[in-house]
Each structure stands twice: as structure tokens, then as C-alpha cells.
Coordinates of all heavy atoms in Angstrom, one line a residue:
M781 N 82.6 154.4 96.7 CA 81.8 154.7 95.6 C 81.4 156.2 95.7 O 81.1 156.7 96.7 CB 80.5 153.9 95.6 CG 79.7 154.1 94.3 SD 78.1 153.2 94.3 CE 78.7 151.6 93.8
T782 N 81.5 156.9 94.6 CA 81.3 158.3 94.5 C 80.0 158.6 93.7 O 80.0 158.6 92.5 CB 82.4 159.1 93.9 OG1 82.6 158.6 92.5 CG2 83.7 158.9 94.6
G783 N 78.9 158.8 94.4 CA 77.6 159.1 93.8 C 76.8 157.9 93.5 O 77.3 156.8 93.7
Q784 N 75.7 158.1 93.0 CA 74.8 157.0 92.7 C 74.8 156.7 91.2 O 75.1 157.5 90.3 CB 73.3 157.4 93.0 CG 73.1 157.7 94.5 CD 71.7 158.1 94.8 OE1 71.0 158.8 94.0 NE2 71.2 157.7 95.9
S785 N 74.6 155.4 90.9 CA 74.5 155.0 89.5 C 73.2 155.5 88.9 O 72.2 155.6 89.5 CB 74.5 153.4 89.4 OG 75.6 152.9 89.9
P786 N 73.3 155.9 87.6 CA 72.1 156.3 86.9 C 71.1 155.2 86.8 O 71.4 154.0 86.7 CB 72.5 156.7 85.5 CG 74.0 156.8 85.6 CD 74.4 156.0 86.8
V787 N 69.8 155.5 86.9 CA 68.7 154.5 86.8 C 67.9 154.9 85.6 O 67.4 156.0 85.5 CB 67.9 154.5 88.1 CG1 66.7 153.5 87.9 CG2 68.7 154.1 89.3
V788 N 67.7 153.9 84.7 CA 66.9 154.2 83.5 C 65.8 153.2 83.4 O 65.8 152.2 84.0 CB 67.8 154.1 82.2 CG1 68.9 155.1 82.2 CG2 68.3 152.7 81.9
A789 N 64.8 153.6 82.6 CA 63.6 152.7 82.3 C 63.8 152.3 80.9 O 64.0 153.1 80.0 CB 62.3 153.5 82.4
A790 N 63.9 151.0 80.7 CA 64.0 150.4 79.4 C 62.7 149.6 79.1 O 62.5 148.6 79.7 CB 65.2 149.4 79.3
I791 N 62.0 150.1 78.1 CA 60.6 149.5 77.8 C 60.7 148.7 76.5 O 60.8 149.3 75.5 CB 59.6 150.7 77.7 CG1 59.6 151.5 79.0 CG2 58.2 150.1 77.4 CD1 59.0 152.9 78.8
P792 N 60.5 147.4 76.6 CA 60.5 146.6 75.4 C 59.1 146.9 74.7 O 58.1 147.0 75.3 CB 60.6 145.2 75.8 CG 60.7 145.2 77.3 CD 60.5 146.6 77.8
N793 N 59.2 146.9 73.4 CA 57.9 147.2 72.6 C 57.9 146.5 71.3 O 58.9 146.3 70.6 CB 57.9 148.7 72.3 CG 56.7 149.1 71.5 OD1 55.6 149.0 72.0 ND2 56.9 149.6 70.3
Y794 N 56.7 146.0 71.0 CA 56.4 145.5 69.7 C 54.9 145.7 69.4 O 54.0 145.1 70.1 CB 56.7 144.0 69.6 CG 56.4 143.4 68.2 CD1 57.1 143.8 67.1 CD2 55.3 142.6 68.0 CE1 56.8 143.3 65.8 CE2 55.0 142.1 66.7 CZ 55.7 142.5 65.7 OH 55.4 142.1 64.4
N795 N 54.6 146.7 68.5 CA 53.3 147.0 68.1 C 52.4 147.3 69.3 O 51.2 146.9 69.4 CB 52.7 145.9 67.3 CG 53.3 145.8 65.9 OD1 53.9 146.8 65.4 ND2 53.2 144.6 65.3
M796 N 52.8 148.1 70.2 CA 52.0 148.5 71.4 C 51.9 150.0 71.5 O 52.0 150.6 72.6 CB 52.7 147.9 72.7 CG 52.7 146.4 72.7 SD 51.1 145.6 72.7 CE 50.6 145.9 74.3
A797 N 51.7 150.7 70.4 CA 51.7 152.2 70.3 C 50.7 152.7 71.3 O 51.0 153.7 72.0 CB 51.4 152.7 68.9
E798 N 49.5 152.2 71.3 CA 48.4 152.8 72.2 C 48.8 152.6 73.7 O 48.6 153.5 74.5 CB 47.1 152.1 71.9 CG 46.5 152.6 70.6 CD 46.4 154.1 70.5 OE1 46.0 154.8 71.4 OE2 46.9 154.7 69.5
N799 N 49.4 151.5 74.0 CA 49.9 151.3 75.4 C 51.0 152.3 75.7 O 51.1 152.8 76.9 CB 50.4 149.9 75.6 CG 49.2 148.9 75.6 OD1 48.1 149.3 75.4 ND2 49.5 147.7 75.9
L800 N 51.9 152.5 74.8 CA 53.0 153.5 75.0 C 52.4 154.9 75.3 O 52.9 155.6 76.1 CB 53.9 153.6 73.8 CG 54.8 152.4 73.6 CD1 55.6 152.5 72.3 CD2 55.8 152.2 74.8
R801 N 51.4 155.2 74.6 CA 50.8 156.6 74.7 C 50.3 156.8 76.2 O 50.3 157.8 76.7 CB 49.6 156.7 73.8 CG 49.0 158.1 73.7 CD 48.1 158.3 72.5 NE 48.8 158.6 71.3 CZ 48.9 157.9 70.2 NH1 48.2 156.8 70.1 NH2 49.6 158.3 69.2
K802 N 49.8 155.7 76.8 CA 49.4 155.7 78.2 C 50.5 155.6 79.2 O 50.5 156.2 80.2 CB 48.3 154.6 78.4 CG 47.1 154.8 77.6 CD 46.2 153.5 77.8 CE 45.1 153.5 76.8 NZ 44.3 152.3 76.9
L803 N 51.5 154.7 78.9 CA 52.5 154.4 79.8 C 53.6 155.5 79.9 O 54.1 155.8 81.0 CB 53.2 153.1 79.3 CG 54.4 152.6 80.1 CD1 54.0 152.2 81.5 CD2 55.1 151.5 79.4
L804 N 54.0 156.0 78.8 CA 55.2 157.0 78.9 C 55.0 158.2 79.8 O 55.9 158.5 80.5 CB 55.5 157.4 77.4 CG 56.2 156.3 76.6 CD1 56.4 156.7 75.2 CD2 57.5 155.9 77.3
P805 N 53.8 158.8 79.8 CA 53.7 159.9 80.8 C 53.9 159.4 82.2 O 54.4 160.1 83.0 CB 52.2 160.4 80.6 CG 51.9 160.0 79.2 CD 52.6 158.7 78.9
Q806 N 53.4 158.2 82.5 CA 53.6 157.7 83.9 C 55.0 157.4 84.2 O 55.5 157.7 85.3 CB 52.7 156.4 84.0 CG 51.2 156.7 83.9 CD 50.4 155.4 83.9 OE1 50.8 154.4 84.6 NE2 49.4 155.3 83.1
I807 N 55.7 156.9 83.2 CA 57.2 156.6 83.4 C 58.0 157.9 83.5 O 58.8 158.0 84.4 CB 57.7 155.8 82.2 CG1 57.1 154.4 82.2 CG2 59.2 155.6 82.3 CD1 57.4 153.5 83.3
L808 N 57.7 158.9 82.7 CA 58.4 160.1 82.8 C 58.2 160.8 84.1 O 59.1 161.5 84.6 CB 58.0 161.0 81.6 CG 58.5 160.6 80.2 CD1 57.8 161.4 79.1 CD2 60.0 160.7 80.1
A809 N 57.0 160.7 84.7 CA 56.7 161.3 86.0 C 57.5 160.7 87.1 O 57.6 161.3 88.2 CB 55.2 161.1 86.3
Q810 N 58.2 159.5 86.9 CA 58.9 158.9 88.0 C 60.3 159.5 88.1 O 61.0 159.2 89.1 CB 59.0 157.4 87.7 CG 57.7 156.7 87.6 CD 56.9 156.8 88.9 OE1 57.5 156.6 90.0 NE2 55.7 157.2 88.8
G811 N 60.8 160.3 87.2 CA 62.1 160.9 87.3 C 63.3 160.1 87.0 O 64.4 160.3 87.6
Y812 N 63.2 159.1 86.2 CA 64.3 158.3 85.8 C 65.4 159.2 85.1 O 65.1 160.2 84.5 CB 63.9 157.2 84.8 CG 63.1 156.1 85.4 CD1 61.7 156.0 85.4 CD2 63.8 155.1 86.1 CE1 61.0 155.0 86.0 CE2 63.1 154.0 86.7 CZ 61.7 154.0 86.6 OH 61.0 153.0 87.2
D813 N 66.6 158.7 85.1 CA 67.7 159.4 84.5 C 67.7 159.3 83.0 O 68.3 160.1 82.3 CB 69.1 158.9 85.0 CG 69.3 159.2 86.5 OD1 69.1 160.3 86.9 OD2 69.6 158.2 87.2
G814 N 66.9 158.3 82.5 CA 66.7 158.2 81.1 C 65.6 157.2 80.8 O 65.3 156.3 81.7
V815 N 64.9 157.4 79.7 CA 63.8 156.5 79.3 C 64.0 156.1 77.9 O 64.2 156.9 77.0 CB 62.4 157.2 79.4 CG1 61.3 156.3 79.0 CG2 62.2 157.7 80.9
F816 N 64.0 154.8 77.7 CA 64.3 154.2 76.4 C 63.1 153.3 76.0 O 62.7 152.5 76.8 CB 65.6 153.3 76.4 CG 66.8 154.1 76.7 CD1 67.1 154.4 78.0 CD2 67.6 154.5 75.7 CE1 68.3 155.1 78.3 CE2 68.8 155.2 76.0 CZ 69.1 155.5 77.3
V817 N 62.7 153.4 74.8 CA 61.7 152.4 74.2 C 62.5 151.5 73.3 O 63.1 152.0 72.3 CB 60.5 153.1 73.5 CG1 59.7 152.0 72.8 CG2 59.7 153.9 74.5
L818 N 62.6 150.3 73.6 CA 63.4 149.3 72.8 C 62.4 148.6 71.8 O 61.6 147.7 72.2 CB 64.0 148.3 73.7 CG 64.8 148.9 74.8 CD1 65.3 147.8 75.8 CD2 66.0 149.7 74.3
D819 N 62.4 149.0 70.6 CA 61.4 148.6 69.6 C 61.9 147.4 68.8 O 63.0 147.4 68.3 CB 61.0 149.7 68.7 CG 59.8 149.4 67.8 OD1 58.7 149.3 68.4 OD2 60.0 149.2 66.6
D820 N 61.1 146.4 68.6 CA 61.4 145.2 67.9 C 60.8 145.2 66.5 O 60.1 144.3 66.1 CB 61.0 144.0 68.7 CG 61.7 142.7 68.3 OD1 62.7 142.8 67.5 OD2 61.2 141.6 68.7
A821 N 61.1 146.3 65.8 CA 60.7 146.4 64.4 C 59.1 146.4 64.3 O 58.5 145.8 63.4 CB 61.3 145.3 63.5
S822 N 58.5 147.3 65.1 CA 57.1 147.4 65.1 C 56.6 147.9 63.7 O 57.3 148.6 63.0 CB 56.6 148.4 66.1 OG 56.8 147.9 67.4
T823 N 55.3 147.5 63.4 CA 54.7 147.9 62.1 C 53.6 148.9 62.4 O 52.9 149.3 61.4 CB 54.2 146.7 61.3 OG1 53.3 145.9 62.1 CG2 55.4 145.8 60.9
D824 N 53.3 149.2 63.6 CA 52.3 150.2 64.0 C 52.9 151.6 64.1 O 54.0 151.8 63.6 CB 51.5 149.8 65.2 CG 52.4 149.8 66.5 OD1 53.6 150.1 66.4 OD2 51.8 149.6 67.6
D825 N 52.3 152.5 64.7 CA 52.8 153.9 64.8 C 53.5 154.1 66.1 O 53.5 155.2 66.6 CB 51.7 154.9 64.6 CG 50.6 154.8 65.6 OD1 50.5 153.8 66.3 OD2 49.8 155.8 65.8
S826 N 54.2 153.1 66.6 CA 55.0 153.2 67.8 C 56.1 154.4 67.7 O 56.2 155.1 68.7 CB 55.8 151.9 68.2 OG 54.8 150.9 68.6
A827 N 56.8 154.5 66.6 CA 57.8 155.5 66.4 C 57.2 156.9 66.5 O 57.7 157.8 67.2 CB 58.5 155.3 65.1
E828 N 56.0 157.1 65.9 CA 55.3 158.4 66.0 C 54.9 158.7 67.4 O 55.0 159.9 67.8 CB 54.1 158.4 65.0 CG 54.6 158.4 63.6 CD 54.9 157.0 63.0 OE1 54.7 156.0 63.7 OE2 55.4 156.9 61.9
V829 N 54.4 157.7 68.1 CA 53.9 158.0 69.5 C 55.1 158.4 70.4 O 55.1 159.4 71.1 CB 53.3 156.7 70.1 CG1 53.1 156.8 71.6 CG2 51.9 156.4 69.4
V830 N 56.2 157.7 70.3 CA 57.4 158.0 71.0 C 57.9 159.4 70.6 O 58.3 160.2 71.5 CB 58.5 157.0 70.9 CG1 59.8 157.4 71.5 CG2 58.1 155.6 71.5
G831 N 57.8 159.7 69.4 CA 58.2 161.0 68.9 C 57.5 162.2 69.5 O 58.0 163.3 69.6
E832 N 56.2 161.9 69.9 CA 55.4 162.9 70.6 C 56.1 163.4 71.9 O 55.7 164.5 72.4 CB 54.0 162.4 70.8 CG 53.2 162.1 69.6 CD 51.9 161.4 69.9 OE1 51.5 161.2 71.0 OE2 51.3 160.9 68.9
F833 N 57.0 162.6 72.4 CA 57.6 163.0 73.7 C 58.9 163.6 73.6 O 59.6 163.9 74.5 CB 57.7 161.7 74.6 CG 56.3 161.2 75.0 CD1 55.7 160.3 74.2 CD2 55.7 161.6 76.1 CE1 54.4 159.8 74.5 CE2 54.5 161.2 76.5 CZ 53.8 160.3 75.7
G834 N 59.3 163.9 72.3 CA 60.5 164.7 72.0 C 61.8 164.0 72.6 O 61.9 162.7 72.5
D835 N 62.7 164.8 73.1 CA 63.9 164.2 73.6 C 63.9 163.6 75.0 O 64.9 163.2 75.5 CB 65.1 165.3 73.5 CG 64.8 166.5 74.4 OD1 63.7 166.5 75.0 OD2 65.7 167.4 74.4
K836 N 62.7 163.5 75.5 CA 62.5 162.9 76.9 C 62.6 161.4 76.8 O 62.8 160.8 77.8 CB 61.1 163.3 77.5 CG 61.0 164.8 77.7 CD 59.6 165.1 78.2 CE 59.4 166.6 78.3 NZ 58.0 166.9 78.7
V837 N 62.3 160.9 75.6 CA 62.3 159.4 75.4 C 63.2 159.1 74.2 O 63.0 159.7 73.2 CB 60.9 158.9 75.2 CG1 60.9 157.3 75.0 CG2 60.0 159.2 76.4
E838 N 64.1 158.1 74.4 CA 65.0 157.7 73.3 C 64.3 156.4 72.7 O 64.1 155.4 73.4 CB 66.4 157.4 73.8 CG 67.3 157.1 72.6 CD 68.8 157.0 73.0 OE1 69.1 157.6 74.0 OE2 69.5 156.4 72.3
F839 N 64.1 156.5 71.4 CA 63.6 155.3 70.6 C 64.7 154.5 70.0 O 65.4 155.1 69.2 CB 62.6 155.9 69.5 CG 61.8 154.8 68.8 CD1 60.8 154.1 69.5 CD2 62.0 154.6 67.5 CE1 60.1 153.2 68.9 CE2 61.2 153.6 66.8 CZ 60.3 152.9 67.5
V840 N 64.8 153.3 70.4 CA 65.9 152.4 69.9 C 65.2 151.3 69.1 O 64.5 150.5 69.7 CB 66.7 151.8 71.1 CG1 67.8 150.8 70.6 CG2 67.3 152.9 72.0
R841 N 65.4 151.4 67.8 CA 64.6 150.5 66.9 C 65.5 149.4 66.3 O 66.5 149.8 65.7 CB 63.9 151.3 65.8 CG 63.1 150.4 64.9 CD 62.3 151.3 64.0 NE 61.1 150.5 63.6 CZ 60.0 151.1 63.2 NH1 59.9 152.4 63.1 NH2 58.9 150.4 62.9
S842 N 65.1 148.2 66.4 CA 65.8 147.1 65.7 C 65.3 147.1 64.2 O 64.1 147.3 64.0 CB 65.4 145.8 66.4 OG 66.0 144.7 65.6
P843 N 66.2 147.0 63.3 CA 65.8 147.0 61.9 C 65.0 145.8 61.5 O 64.3 145.8 60.5 CB 67.1 147.1 61.1 CG 68.2 146.6 62.1 CD 67.7 146.9 63.5
Q844 N 65.1 144.8 62.3 CA 64.3 143.6 62.0 C 63.8 143.0 63.3 O 64.4 143.2 64.3 CB 65.1 142.5 61.2 CG 66.3 142.0 61.9 CD 67.1 141.1 61.0 OE1 66.9 141.1 59.8 NE2 68.0 140.4 61.6
N845 N 62.7 142.2 63.3 CA 62.2 141.6 64.5 C 63.2 140.5 64.9 O 63.5 139.6 64.2 CB 60.8 141.0 64.2 CG 60.2 140.5 65.4 OD1 60.5 139.4 65.9 ND2 59.3 141.3 65.9
V846 N 63.7 140.7 66.2 CA 64.7 139.8 66.7 C 64.2 139.0 67.9 O 65.0 138.2 68.4 CB 66.0 140.6 67.1 CG1 66.7 141.1 65.8 CG2 65.7 141.7 68.1
G847 N 63.0 139.2 68.3 CA 62.5 138.5 69.5 C 62.7 139.2 70.8 O 63.6 140.1 70.9
P848 N 62.0 138.8 71.8 CA 62.1 139.5 73.1 C 63.5 139.6 73.8 O 63.8 140.7 74.2 CB 61.1 138.7 74.0 CG 60.4 137.8 73.1 CD 61.1 137.6 71.9
A849 N 64.2 138.6 73.8 CA 65.5 138.6 74.5 C 66.5 139.6 73.8 O 67.1 140.5 74.4 CB 66.1 137.3 74.7
A850 N 66.6 139.4 72.5 CA 67.6 140.3 71.8 C 67.1 141.7 71.8 O 67.9 142.6 71.8 CB 67.7 139.7 70.3
N851 N 65.8 141.9 71.7 CA 65.2 143.3 71.8 C 65.6 143.9 73.1 O 66.1 145.1 73.1 CB 63.7 143.3 71.6 CG 63.1 144.6 71.5 OD1 63.7 145.5 70.9 ND2 62.0 144.8 72.2
R852 N 65.4 143.2 74.2 CA 65.8 143.8 75.5 C 67.2 144.1 75.6 O 67.6 145.1 76.2 CB 65.3 142.8 76.6 CG 63.9 142.8 76.9 CD 63.5 142.1 78.2 NE 64.0 140.7 78.1 CZ 63.2 139.7 77.7 NH1 62.0 139.9 77.3 NH2 63.7 138.4 77.7
N853 N 68.1 143.3 75.0 CA 69.5 143.5 75.1 C 70.0 144.7 74.3 O 71.1 145.1 74.5 CB 70.2 142.2 74.6 CG 70.1 141.1 75.5 OD1 69.8 141.3 76.7 ND2 70.4 139.9 75.0
Q854 N 69.1 145.3 73.5 CA 69.6 146.5 72.8 C 70.0 147.6 73.7 O 70.8 148.5 73.4 CB 68.4 147.1 71.9 CG 68.1 146.2 70.7 CD 67.0 146.9 69.9 OE1 67.4 147.6 68.9 NE2 65.8 146.9 70.2
I855 N 69.5 147.6 75.0 CA 69.8 148.7 75.9 C 71.3 148.7 76.2 O 71.9 149.8 76.5 CB 69.0 148.5 77.2 CG1 69.1 149.8 78.1 CG2 69.4 147.3 78.0 CD1 68.5 151.0 77.5
I856 N 72.0 147.6 76.1 CA 73.4 147.5 76.5 C 74.2 148.5 75.7 O 75.2 149.1 76.2 CB 73.9 146.1 76.3 CG1 73.2 145.1 77.2 CG2 75.4 146.0 76.4 CD1 73.4 143.6 76.9
D857 N 73.9 148.7 74.4 CA 74.6 149.6 73.6 C 74.3 151.1 73.8 O 74.9 152.0 73.2 CB 74.4 149.3 72.1 CG 74.9 147.9 71.7 OD1 75.9 147.5 72.4 OD2 74.4 147.3 70.8
H858 N 73.3 151.4 74.7 CA 72.9 152.8 74.9 C 73.1 153.3 76.2 O 72.7 154.5 76.5 CB 71.4 152.8 74.5 CG 71.2 152.5 73.0 ND1 71.3 153.5 72.0 CD2 70.9 151.4 72.4 CE1 71.1 152.9 70.9 NE2 70.9 151.6 71.0
V859 N 73.7 152.6 77.1 CA 73.9 153.1 78.5 C 75.4 152.7 78.9 O 76.0 151.8 78.3 CB 72.9 152.5 79.5 CG1 71.5 152.9 79.3 CG2 73.0 151.0 79.6
D860 N 75.9 153.5 79.8 CA 77.2 153.2 80.3 C 77.2 152.1 81.3 O 76.2 151.8 81.9 CB 77.8 154.5 81.0 CG 77.9 155.7 80.1 OD1 78.2 155.4 78.9 OD2 77.8 156.8 80.5
D861 N 78.4 151.5 81.5 CA 78.5 150.5 82.6 C 78.1 151.1 83.9 O 78.4 152.3 84.1 CB 80.0 150.0 82.7 CG 80.4 149.1 81.5 OD1 79.5 148.7 80.7 OD2 81.6 149.0 81.2
G862 N 77.5 150.4 84.7 CA 77.1 150.9 86.0 C 75.7 151.5 86.0 O 75.2 151.8 87.1
T863 N 75.1 151.6 84.9 CA 73.7 152.1 84.8 C 72.8 151.0 85.2 O 73.0 149.8 84.8 CB 73.4 152.6 83.4 OG1 74.3 153.7 83.1 CG2 71.9 153.1 83.3
I864 N 71.8 151.3 86.0 CA 70.8 150.3 86.5 C 69.6 150.5 85.7 O 69.1 151.6 85.5 CB 70.5 150.5 88.0 CG1 71.8 150.4 88.8 CG2 69.5 149.6 88.5 CD1 71.7 150.8 90.2

């Protein structure tokens, strides 16, 4: 094996904007290779909160509420094979 696999944080979210505001600085301080918020069509200001972190956090939004499992699976389309 040549090198280490990238490690990302994938945070499932549904209407938890205030929690994201507290959580994201802590996650970013950990030095992950990528940080993703997987949003399940929230109706609060989750998108705006994530936007406050600029390009440090990728916001992946489902166009409709799909439930926890399908929401978590959104990460598959946003990372390469071998990413942890």
C-alpha cells in the first residue's frame, strides 16, 4: 500500500442548525481530510450555518427527505474508493 487512505467526517443532519454551529468548529479542529454535512432536506437554516464555514465544509443536500439510512449513503457519491 502506498500512503494512507483519506479520512473524512460525514455528519448526518436534519434540522440541527444550532448543533452544527457548535459541532463544526470542533470537527474542523481534528484535521480530517474532508468534512461533509449530509443534509436530509432540512427546513431550518442548516445550509446557511454550513455556509459560514466556506469551503472547509461540503454541504450535500438531499432534495427530499429520504430518511437516515439513505441520507448517510449520500457520502458514497462524494468520496473516492478507499476513503475512510
Side-chain angles (χ1 to χ4, degrees):
M781 184 184 279
T782 60
Q784 296 179 327
S785 295
V787 178
V788 301
I791 304 162
N793 179 66
Y794 179 70
N795 289 338
M796 298 297 285
E798 289 307 311
N799 289 5
L800 288 173
R801 188 169 275 119
K802 297 173 190 173
L803 175 67
L804 288 174
Q806 296 173 37
I807 294 294
L808 289 168
Q810 299 300 312
Y812 288 99
D813 296 307
V815 176
F816 297 82
V817 172
L818 309 174
D819 189 71
D820 199 11
S822 291
T823 57
D824 67 356
D825 63 343
S826 291
E828 290 81 9
V829 169
V830 173
E832 294 171 10
F833 294 90
D835 62 357
K836 296 177 187 174
V837 180
E838 186 169 338
F839 189 66
V840 179
R841 184 174 207 154
S842 176
Q844 61 187 15
N845 188 280
V846 293
N851 184 44
R852 284 188 301 268
N853 288 342
Q854 290 188 95
I855 193 64
I856 294 168
D857 295 331
H858 296 275
V859 296
D860 296 327
D861 291 343
T863 300
I864 300 171

